[in-house]
Amino acid sequence: MLLSLLPMALAAHAAQDVEIGCQRLRIALAPALDAQVVERDWGSGEPHQGPNATLELVGCNGKVLSQLPLAAPLARLDPQPVRGAPRPTYLVSADLTAEAGSYNGPLTSAVEVVSDHLQVAEAKPAKGKPVPIQLGLTGKSAWQRVQGRSGESLLAVRSQREAGEFKTTYARYHVVGKAWVVSSRTRPGLWESDGDFPAETEFPGPRAGRNGR
């Protein structure tokens, strides 16, 4: 079920090193792991001992300027920056897949480079405090990048049980001015990842125009 969605959202996440001018973003893995192990075991639920991966920003002189701890030993970095983001922004995934369970899978965060510092981007909802942009890929959640003329939106769908019934939330993360905002709606019903990704019209907010990867 989950594996059928991996090519859609993660096909470009194989890079472990991305150049940003003379600086670099890189995934630092435990000594026993390398990119081949990440590719082999990604999404399998195979357990790995040792420390979790770290995202590092390396300066022009080769020194590490900033580190962002990730949530699992296996991690991937999408080499394509998010188009139209207010700051240099990249999608970084940590593999939380477990052997059983429909709520476990890779978790992708939108990470910004701000003044030589790494931070998870936040989006402002209609009400409440800003929330981190984190996207799940499980048996009951998925996401897509959607291309538009001025930039990209990130669409996320998630189903969960509430008071004995399933409800599905459709969220769109998009840029307004120089800030991320999130528009969402929740409807009764169950969505699962072995079905088609919902039509863009299900997601509130301005339509981007055409689907990306």
Side-chain angles (χ1 to χ4, degrees), residues 119-204:
Q119 63 185 34
V120 177
E122 293 187 331
K124 184 72 170 63
K127 297 180 180 180
K129 298 180 179 180
V131 296
I133 302 178
Q134 294 184 312
L135 313 164
L137 186 62
T138 73
K140 291 181 173 61
S141 65
W143 60 274
Q144 282 189 353
R145 298 173 74 150
V146 178
Q147 304 280 354
R149 291 184 179 180
S150 60
E152 289 181 296
S153 294
L154 303 172
L155 307 183
V157 57
R158 182 184 76 255
S159 284
Q160 58 187 16
R161 188 184 294 274
E162 297 181 10
E165 297 181 350
F166 276 101
K167 295 183 179 180
T168 298
T169 298
Y170 304 86
R172 181 191 300 269
Y173 299 88
H174 55 107
V175 175
V176 175
K178 295 184 178 181
W180 284 98
V181 300
V182 56
S183 305
S184 65
R185 67 163 61 100
T186 300
R187 293 178 173 173
L190 171 65
W191 181 88
E192 293 186 290
S193 61
D194 56 355
D196 293 334
F197 193 83
E200 190 181 346
T201 52
E202 294 286 348
F203 299 85

Side-chain angles (χ1 to χ4, degrees), residues 29 35 37-38 56 84 86 97 116 120 135:
L29 301 170
V37 175
V38 173
E56 297 181 338
T97 306
D116 293 338
V120 177
L135 313 164

Side-chain angles (χ1 to χ4, degrees), residues 44-45 96-105:
S44 69
L96 303 178
T97 306
E99 291 185 356
S102 58
Y103 293 98
N104 300 307

Side-chain angles (χ1 to χ4, degrees), residues 2 5-6 17 26 47 60-61 65-66 74 82 86 98 102 111 118 133 146-147 150 170-171:
L2 172 61
L5 275 173
L6 290 178
D17 193 301
R26 71 183 181 195
C60 301
N61 59 1
L65 302 176
S66 182
L74 303 186
V82 179
S102 58
V111 178
L118 298 175
I133 302 178
V146 178
Q147 304 280 354
S150 60
Y170 304 86

Side-chain angles (χ1 to χ4, degrees), residues 6-32:
L6 290 178
M8 174 187 69
L10 298 172
H13 287 196
Q16 302 293 295
D17 193 301
V18 173
E19 293 184 359
I20 310 176
C22 65
Q23 297 182 339
R24 288 184 295 125
L25 273 182
R26 71 183 181 195
I27 296 288
L29 301 170

Side-chain angles (χ1 to χ4, degrees), residues 21-63:
C22 65
Q23 297 182 339
R24 288 184 295 125
L25 273 182
R26 71 183 181 195
I27 296 288
L29 301 170
L33 302 177
D34 58 25
Q36 290 184 339
V37 175
V38 173
E39 289 303 299
R40 183 192 69 198
D41 293 345
W42 191 265
S44 69
E46 180 72 21
H48 289 276
Q49 302 298 321
N52 290 345
T54 301
L55 180 66
E56 297 181 338
L57 177 64
V58 181
C60 301
N61 59 1
K63 294 184 178 181

